[in-house]
Amino acid sequence: MRKLRYALVFLLAGGVAHAQAPKPAAPILPKPADAGAPDARSSSDAGRRDAAPDHPGPVRGDEQLPPGHPAALPDDDGDAEGAADPHDHGGEANPHQGPNGMFRASPDLVDDDSSLPTGTIAVQLLDPENKPLPNIDVTLGILQQSVAKGDARKHVNRITNADGAVRFDGLETGSGVAYRVSVPRESAVFAASPFQLAPSKAGMRVKLHIYPVTSDLEQAFVVMQANLYAELKDDRIQFEEAINVYNFGRFAWVPDNLVMSLPADFTALNSQQSMSDQGVDAVEQRGARVRGTFGPGQHSIVFRWQLPYAGASNVDIRVGLPPRVAASRVLAAASQDMKLRVEGFPAAVPNADMNGGRLLETAKEMQRGEVLRELSITLSDIPTPGPARFIATGLAALGVMFGLGYAYQTRGRRRVVPKGDAKRTRQQLLFELEELERAHRAGDVGPKTYERARREIVDAIARTLAS
């Protein structure tokens, strides 16, 4: 139990303390990456990106374990008890043994190697203690990108030798091809960051660690942090969530049918695109199913979803969370009088995003005996449409009636549109239709507005064809 307690202390002292700093502009989640474009940053960046996060140093204090953590985990004070520490090496110095039983993972590596020929990738597979893994099937994914031919994908497989090594030779170099090394293992997939081969006198060396796999949270040394951002948009509320997973153990955790519940009428759930297998999938009328391989270190899942909004001044929402949430933060874009309340959380305080917009936020760190299974959120005093909206609607209706009357009076005197004018008008309408589709896919236009605007543009295009 104490090991998870110290993991919590590290999380709250680092991750949550950082989260309480002045906030960036909403939304809190990054824009989805292009699904078809691999990460083509430099190999040195990729190597740093693969490195495991810094591990906590000695921790002082008598902080308590957060809720939801299983009592069956080994306890350093001899309480359960008597359970053996799976990382104990009989008192011998172990470079992978962090403080209080936390596992110190070695970083993976993706880097240039001038000793390798151009167009060569040398891979070595290692276990958690950096021992080579022989006779393992390694997959090299190849993505070829071409403006003329589009994207093409293929895979090449090799088996590691007695030293846990394998080479891929004679590969294409340049910015048009990206590579990714991966190893399926039981229910997990271990993968290095994608990279490209520079057309220079150097190959690429990859070191990838393979960990034992578990779906049992009693065995996994995992703590989580949940962040949620809400914003009203037209006829819906858009939510953005980030789940940070901290794995302090030597097992790779693979969730088994873990579904975070959402309101039954949720729509448009989209997971941020990435080159890993981590993410969420929509389960109709239930919520978001978490998938992926979470090895030692820190990982983040980001996703968006929407909820229909009928214009009420108060809205209540319940959002399910994954297990072992040690801390949570909720933010909402708000008008001047709007209020945010989260059950069991401190009163929300106003803040400002980078654009000067008003932001309400509240955060909570779990204490011993607390279990946070869901967020019960209330948005109140939401501005509702006043009489001006109905006046505008009435004026628009009068305009339509006038237009219909004019059309009736001038029937038989049909205006002939010159071909040049019709063509230019049609091109402009097609451009507007394309922009509308793009905004709808991005979630910036609601379904009702989208259907109405699309119908009007299509009708206008038909009239230009008739002309």
Side-chain angles (χ1 to χ4, degrees):
M1 292 285 283
R2 186 166 299 167
K3 288 187 292 186
L4 271 176
R5 183 181 308 165
Y6 282 108
L8 171 64
V9 172
F10 168 66
L11 171 59
L12 298 184
V16 175
H18 177 71
Q20 309 257 351
K23 303 303 178 300
I28 59 174
L29 306 182
K31 293 292 183 182
D34 185 354
D39 189 343
R41 286 174 284 185
S42 68
S43 57
S44 59
D45 288 343
R48 288 193 294 270
R49 201 165 54 247
D50 283 348
D54 293 338
H55 291 272
V59 184
R60 292 170 293 182
D62 192 25
E63 292 84 355
Q64 300 299 312
L65 184 69
H69 295 277
L73 283 172
D75 193 338
D76 293 342
D77 58 17
D79 230 30
E81 7 183 281
D85 186 344
H87 312 310
D88 186 10
H89 287 252
E92 298 179 5
N94 178 13
H96 303 286
Q97 185 72 42
N100 304 291
M102 289 185 284
F103 179 70
R104 193 186 299 275
S106 297
D108 291 338
L109 173 69
V110 179
D111 208 355
D112 297 322
D113 190 337
S114 58
S115 67
L116 295 172
T118 301
T120 295
I121 299 174
V123 181
Q124 186 177 31
L125 300 186
L126 303 169
D127 71 4
E129 281 73 36
N130 284 329
K131 297 177 182 178
L133 292 173
N135 303 316
I136 303 295
D137 190 6
V138 178
T139 300
L140 179 65
I142 305 173
L143 172 61
Q144 294 179 313
Q145 296 176 298
S146 170
V147 176
K149 299 180 181 180
D151 294 347
R153 300 174 184 269
K154 64 178 181 178
H155 298 86
V156 179
N157 290 78
R158 299 279 191 275
I159 304 295
T160 57
N161 60 19
D163 296 325
V166 65
R167 276 177 54 144
F168 300 86
D169 295 295
L171 299 170
E172 187 176 346
T173 63
S175 60
V177 185
Y179 300 92
R180 181 171 180 252
V181 175
S182 63
V183 177
R185 194 75 165 173
E186 301 176 32
S187 57
V189 176
F190 299 93
S193 295
F195 57 88
Q196 294 174 330
L197 291 173
S200 61
K201 295 181 180 179
M204 190 71 69
R205 188 169 297 277
V206 177
K207 286 187 178 181
L208 184 62
H209 290 81
I210 309 300
Y211 298 93
V213 180
T214 183
S215 295
D216 185 3
L217 276 172
E218 297 289 336
Q219 192 175 32
F221 198 174
V222 170
V223 180
M224 302 192 199
Q225 180 187 25
N227 302 292
L228 181 143
Y229 170 81
E231 182 177 6
L232 272 74
K233 286 182 175 287
D234 194 17
D235 53 357
R236 69 205 185 285
I237 307 175
Q238 179 163 294
F239 296 87
E240 307 182 25
E241 292 192 53
I243 306 297
N244 297 324
V245 180
Y246 299 84
N247 187 342
F248 297 100
R250 70 185 301 274
F251 286 85
W253 177 58
V254 178
D256 181 18
N257 196 30
L258 172 58
V259 179
M260 298 181 292
S261 62
L262 298 175
D265 53 346
F266 80 91
T267 61
L269 188 147
N270 289 294
S271 180
Q272 180 186 14
Q273 299 290 342
S274 69
M275 293 296 291
S276 74
D277 64 338
Q278 299 169 1
V280 298
D281 296 317
V283 181
E284 189 175 355
Q285 295 187 338
R286 286 187 59 195
R289 178 182 286 115
V290 181
R291 55 171 166 79
T293 303
F294 301 88
Q298 178 182 346
H299 313 269
S300 293
I301 306 172
V302 293
F303 60 99
R304 294 177 171 86
W305 53 281
Q306 296 177 0
L307 203 60
Y309 172 61
S313 60
N314 297 326
V315 178
D316 295 314
I317 311 111
R318 290 184 177 271
V319 180
L321 296 175
R324 293 189 177 178
V325 171
S328 181
R329 183 162 62 109
V330 179
L331 304 95
S335 62
Q336 190 60 41
D337 298 323
M338 183 174 154
K339 297 180 180 63
L340 165 68
R341 185 177 68 84
V342 182
E343 185 177 329
F345 280 52
V349 296
N351 208 328
D353 60 31
M354 293 178 63
N355 297 321
R358 186 170 183 260
L359 199 64
L360 293 173
E361 70 168 295
T362 178
K364 183 174 182 179
E365 302 171 2
M366 300 302 106
Q367 303 298 321
R368 187 177 182 86
E370 288 185 292
V371 178
L372 187 61
R373 301 190 186 279
E374 69 175 8
L375 298 172
S376 180
I377 303 167
T378 299
L379 300 175
S380 57
D381 294 343
I382 302 172
T384 55
R389 177 177 177 180
F390 299 102
I391 294 172
T393 303
L395 291 174
L398 288 174
V400 171
M401 293 176 64
F402 174 80
L404 290 174
Y406 178 80
Y408 178 80
Q409 292 175 6
T410 58
R411 69 186 188 280
R413 293 181 289 161
R414 184 176 180 181
R415 178 175 176 268
V416 178
V417 180
K419 291 184 177 180
D421 291 350
K423 183 177 180 180
R424 284 194 297 270
T425 302
R426 186 161 57 252
Q427 288 175 341
Q428 179 63 30
L429 290 169
L430 289 171
F431 175 77
E432 292 178 6
L433 182 62
E434 181 181 355
E435 289 297 311
L436 176 66
E437 295 290 347
R438 184 179 295 110
H440 178 59
R441 288 194 300 268
D444 295 330
V445 175
K448 293 180 181 178
T449 302
Y450 166 74
E451 291 296 338
R452 181 175 64 251
R454 187 177 186 278
R455 184 168 56 250
E456 292 174 356
I457 294 174
V458 170
D459 289 345
I461 292 173
R463 287 195 295 272
T464 64
L465 294 173
S467 299

